[in-house]
Amino acid sequence: KVLRGRAIILEANFGLVDGQYMLDHQDEIAVAMRGDYYIILTGTLLRYSDGDLIVPYLHWGGGRWVLNFCWLADDFGGHDRLARSK
């Protein structure tokens, strides 16, 4: 809840469609983000059949940005970032 609230306040509540755009234009994502950071896309919430909520995120792997999902209940830390437009 805290992360999603911050995303809304910071106007950084990007979702899965935005993440797909970023994947299609990943050469525009700062090189400094590679390897160390996860870009959390809090604008999309998905629910597993067991009721757990998950959010999409991008991470650097295999020489490119890839899409994955994590539980919303996870502890987000210093390597997690919210996407914002310039």
Side-chain angles (χ1 to χ4, degrees):
K1 289 182 178 182
V2 172
L3 183 67
R4 290 193 78 225
R6 287 183 185 159
I8 291 167
I9 291 168
L10 295 170
E11 297 179 6
N13 201 28
F14 285 38
L16 195 51
V17 171
D18 303 300
Q20 184 59 56
Y21 179 88
M22 287 184 248
L23 288 175
D24 292 343
H25 299 89
Q26 56 184 273
D27 57 319
E28 298 174 32
I29 299 174
V31 172
M33 295 286 289
R34 295 180 182 172
D36 291 331
Y37 298 102
Y38 297 94
I39 302 172
I40 311 299
L41 304 165
T42 59
T44 297
L45 285 179
L46 302 170
R47 186 177 302 275
Y48 275 128
S49 59
D50 65 4
D52 287 341
L53 290 173
I54 58 173
V55 292
Y57 70 95
L58 303 178
H59 69 95
W60 184 258
R64 64 183 315 255
W65 288 96
V66 294
L67 176 69
N68 211 329
F69 297 86
C70 62
W71 284 278
L72 188 59
D74 280 353
D75 290 331
F76 295 96
H79 292 280
D80 301 316
R81 298 291 188 263
L82 295 168
R84 292 182 70 186
S85 62
K86 290 184 179 182

